[in-house]
Amino acid sequence: MTRLPRRRPDHPYLDHPSPIPFAHRGGAADGLENTATAFRRAAEAGYRYFETDVHTTADGRLVAFHDATLDRVTDARGRIARLPWSEVRRARVAGREPLPLFEELLEEFPQARWNVDLKVESALAPLVSLIRRTGAWDRVCVGSFTEGRVARARRAAGGRLATSYGVRGVVALRLRSYGVPAALRAGAVAAQVPETQGGVRVVDRRFVREAHARGLQVHVWTVNDPRRMTALLDLGVDGIMTDHLGTLRTVLTDRGAWA
């Protein structure tokens, strides 16, 4: 099968010699998602691109956590935005692992690159401030379902910040792949998308070709089936986010694409 050409990355964040393997929430399959332990295991497995999410506590601390509440995966309850860090820090994922601050993760994994889902508006300013203070411009790509939120983050940070498209940008890119005029925000480096949404296919050869023609990478989430990984790689996608770290590593190794 003929593979679509890859363009050289326009941002240092994307400087990787092969399709990028992302450890989704550090590798969520073992139930310790978004914990320092999960990210340590991912690093030991050879991953250097990590996906995470950020929320803010009532006193403005930036927590790496997916849900708005602690209820689903920890032994505590309540909305993170309504609790001070002194309470949130006592929660334990799977009853044993604490929630990390994103600043702690940046410090512990200095070689890692982070794909950060900006879950709430209140996290925007603290995240941009942290990236600026730590000089982590080449290590962080910011995304969100809300296109306006990502655009505001980029305006606040300036052109050095890598961002992906939100839902509105992805829809516009999908329309353009069919030849339908649609406005796209300037400055994004990637389209990060599910393979399908609501039974509608998002990622196909046409979509990948349109993204590549605009100098954008295509990163697909969250893919755990090796057959789907292989099919997406055959389409020419530039990155896959997975909960199953060993599975993606095996698929890429078998293709000679594990860096």
Side-chain angles (χ1 to χ4, degrees), residues 51-75:
E51 189 274 346
T52 192
D53 316 88
V54 289
H55 285 270
T56 47
T57 61
D59 48 352
R61 305 302 295 273
L62 198 63
V63 182
F65 197 70
H66 177 269
D67 297 1
T69 70
L70 298 170
D71 303 27
R72 179 177 63 89
V73 297
T74 82
D75 56 5

Side-chain angles (χ1 to χ4, degrees), residues 5-238:
R6 299 181 189 276
R7 290 182 54 166
R8 294 181 63 83
D10 292 329
H11 193 282
Y13 176 84
L14 299 173
D15 185 14
H16 190 272
S18 67
I20 299 173
F22 289 88
H24 181 248
R25 303 182 200 170
D30 66 359
L32 298 179
E33 63 180 61
N34 278 327
T35 63
T37 293
F39 294 116
R40 288 179 197 126
R41 291 177 180 175
E44 290 167 1
Y47 283 74
R48 70 183 184 98
Y49 281 81
F50 300 156
E51 189 274 346
T52 192
D53 316 88
V54 289
H55 285 270
T56 47
T57 61
D59 48 352
R61 305 302 295 273
L62 198 63
V63 182
F65 197 70
H66 177 269
D67 297 1
T69 70
L70 298 170
D71 303 27
R72 179 177 63 89
V73 297
T74 82
D75 56 5
R77 299 181 66 84
R79 295 187 67 84
I80 291 175
R82 297 177 182 173
L83 298 171
W85 172 237
S86 59
E87 290 188 37
V88 173
R89 70 187 304 174
R90 293 201 293 267
R92 293 294 182 267
V93 176
R96 58 192 178 95
E97 295 293 332
L99 280 64
L101 295 171
F102 183 55
E103 181 173 4
E104 295 171 340
L105 295 176
L106 275 180
E107 182 177 357
E108 180 172 351
F109 303 96
Q111 304 305 315
R113 296 184 179 182
W114 296 88
N115 194 86
V116 180
D117 188 345
L118 193 58
K119 287 295 186 184
V120 290
E121 190 73 19
S122 62
L124 192 160
L127 178 61
V128 171
S129 177
L130 175 61
I131 294 169
R132 180 178 289 113
R133 177 162 50 83
T134 57
W137 300 109
D138 297 350
R139 298 176 54 205
V140 177
C141 178
V142 174
S144 173
F145 287 106
T146 306
E147 184 71 41
R149 184 176 298 153
V150 187
R152 287 189 290 277
R154 192 170 189 275
R155 284 197 299 270
R160 296 179 67 184
L161 181 66
T163 61
S164 61
Y165 281 133
V167 171
R168 192 171 65 213
V170 170
V171 170
L173 189 63
R174 176 78 276 190
L175 290 172
R176 290 179 68 95
S177 75
Y178 285 110
V180 179
L184 281 170
R185 171 175 59 87
V189 302
Q192 296 177 334
V193 294
E195 187 177 4
T196 61
Q197 182 66 39
V200 178
R201 177 162 295 280
V202 177
V203 183
D204 58 15
R205 191 168 296 275
R206 187 191 298 265
F207 182 84
V208 174
R209 183 180 292 114
E210 179 66 24
H212 286 178
R214 298 187 61 81
L216 297 163
Q217 290 200 359
V218 177
H219 305 154
V220 187
W221 51 265
T222 305
V223 188
N224 296 322
D225 184 325
R227 293 170 299 179
R228 299 313 312 153
M229 293 172 180
T230 297
L232 288 164
L233 292 167
D234 286 343
L235 288 177
V237 304
D238 306 280

